[in-house]
Amino acid sequence: MEEKRAEWTNHISFILATVGSAVGLGNVWRFPYIMGKYGGAVFLFTYLFLIAFICIIPLCVELTLGKISRKDTVTTFNMINPKFKGFGWLCVLTVVLISCFYFVVGGWILQYLWLFLTNNIPENFSQYFPLFASGTTIPVILTILFLVMCAIFPFRGVNKGIEKANNIMMPALAVMLILLAIYSLSLPGAKEGLEFMFKPDFSKFDSTMVLTALGQALFTLSIGMGAILTYGSYMKQDTKILKSSYTLIGFDTTVSLLSGIMIFPIVFSFNVEPTAGPTLIFISLPEMFSKLPFPAVLGSLFFILILFAAITSGISMLETAIASMIENFKISRKKATVLLSLFISVVSIPSVFSFGIMKDFQIFGKTFFDFLDFITSNILLPLNTALICLIAGWFVKSIKKEAFGENILGNIFYFLLKFVIPLIFIGVLITGLIQV
Ligand code: TRP
């Protein structure tokens, strides 16, 4: 039996769902760190410019393709031209590969939340983290637990599951983030933390900075893999695309900035060097929490916040693949969810083991985990984005009217879509490949 096409109950649910997809680990640790590293305010202005005038275009296009087709990613590209069906599957593959390392980090977050909730805080996180991550059984169980925590929602359906999850978790995330940011601003390192983030350093303006900003913008907005397209396919037909896209960008950027305001005052209150990635949230920050008053409360709040951000992104990754599986394999939503979860569980295992027993198993000089991160972020995301723009710009006649409107701005965006944006992302792709 065909599932009746779902639709978000109202505009707020649509916005919260897309914000839920966009706001994730990319906002909480990656954005603040690269903003500080690449010149603070100079990076911020470049990033805002790029996101408002460049990345807005693929974002609008993905939402519009979903809105027009009201179908999953694979069917949408098949409808444009059956030749593009394979490209639809490439988008789905991208999102599945991303989840095979994203969910491992989700498992770590669960472990840390448990440590702080039960007040079992280790003495030394720089010893604890590698020891924990190199384990076999527990990290695997936690990755699967995190996967199940995400999968419950698409399993229950778009309105009963996904919409409910976002309607509760996103406002809760906002409240926790604001509380923690206010707390951070009361710490002695607040001034230095804010300076690290916002102080303009014009000497840092170069092409690497611009490319980094572009890559970050794609990842943080979940562009280039059909996730936004899939959520767009559940929108009401009177939704305004351009306005919704700017709203999404506004929320996503606000969360990124607040995350920095939450993190850096803590970092600078203890005079440590700001670091990137896993080390920041799993070693340096937890270490500092344990030196501040009420570490259990502070740490629990922080990891619940990150957990919510990661779950709502995880849900969106799963739904992108599930929607395509339902439609193309003609199976039920429940069956699709179970099959996909089994697949991700199996492929995530070598990802988990990349920090332990499979540390020396390398593909192109990278562990399995790093390899997945590299092919998705550096190759597939820019490639897919360039192709989405080319396909929409050259093969979908109504794209200009539907995505941007018939006015001067619409004409400019349409020109950029057909000629400029694909070239930019192919440039990003080539540079990403050279940097190996
Ligand atoms: N935007 C998410 C973040 O900032 C990560 C992400 C990338 C994502 N691609 C996605 C989330 C696809 C959902 C769907 O962490």
Side-chain angles (χ1 to χ4, degrees), residues 46 56 60 65 76 89 149 170 174 256 280 311 323 338 354 392 396 407 409:
T46 314
I56 183 78
C60 284
L65 291 180
T76 301
W89 283 117
M149 288 172 76
M170 293 321 288
S256 297
L280 179 68
I311 289 182
V338 173
S354 297
V396 181
N407 48 37
L409 188 69

Side-chain angles (χ1 to χ4, degrees), residues 19-28 94-95 98 102 216-223 225-228 252 309-310 312-318 320 381:
V19 173
S21 170
V23 168
L25 298 171
N27 303 65
V28 184
T94 309
V95 94
I98 291 187
Y102 205 86
Q216 168 68 13
L218 286 188
F219 187 80
T220 187
L221 292 175
S222 315
I223 300 176
M225 56 205 98
I228 290 294
D252 186 77
T312 51
S313 292
I315 293 174
S316 154
M317 294 181 191
L318 295 176
T320 306
L381 283 193

